[in-house]
């Protein structure tokens, strides 16, 4: 299991469009992916639960990834959330 705290750098955070893109990326992996913010958690494939976290640009989140492709999943999602690409 991998766990990493990140500061979200996506403009406007995880609003509808960015959340849908995030969930699409998550479905490409077999690993279980969980987002956590302020004590609330959401499955990375559940768009509505992610939206309920109200993740804004500059917010700190915790990304938990557990599974056979966890390293690749963590790297891919970290790049997306940090708006590196």
């Amino acid at each position: 299991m991998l766990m990493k705290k990140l500061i979200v750098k996506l403009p406007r955070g995880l609003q509808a469009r960015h959340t849908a893109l995030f969930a699409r990326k998550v479905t490409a992996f077999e690993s279980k992916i969980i987002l956590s913010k302020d004590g609330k958690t959401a499955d990375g494939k559940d768009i509505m639960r992610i939206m309920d976290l109200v993740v804004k640009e500059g917010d700190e989140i915790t990304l938990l990834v557990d599974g056979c492709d966890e390293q690749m999943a963590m790297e891919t999602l970290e790049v997306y959330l940090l708006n590196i690409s």
Side-chain angles (χ1 to χ4, degrees):
M1 177 191 277
L2 300 175
M3 180 176 95
K4 191 173 267 193
K5 290 185 185 268
L6 305 168
I7 303 296
V8 175
K9 305 284 186 188
L10 289 169
R12 295 178 302 283
L14 283 173
Q15 291 184 349
R17 180 175 172 274
H18 286 138
T19 300
L21 291 171
F22 179 84
R24 187 177 303 147
K25 289 180 183 295
V26 168
T27 59
F29 299 104
E30 291 183 36
S31 294
K32 181 165 179 69
I33 296 165
I34 303 289
L35 258 68
S36 176
K37 179 187 167 217
D38 298 334
K40 292 181 177 179
T41 61
D43 185 309
K45 296 178 183 174
D46 189 336
I47 293 172
M48 295 309 292
R49 297 280 289 174
I50 296 170
M51 295 284 294
D52 285 344
L53 295 178
V54 191
V55 177
K56 299 178 187 136
E57 182 178 10
D59 285 351
E60 181 180 79
I61 62 164
T62 303
L63 185 61
L64 295 155
V65 183
D66 186 26
C68 61
D69 53 0
E70 63 188 23
Q71 190 65 43
M72 181 60 82
M74 179 64 84
E75 290 171 10
T76 301
L77 298 173
E78 182 178 5
V79 164
Y80 180 72
L81 291 168
L82 296 178
N83 201 26
I84 295 172
S85 56

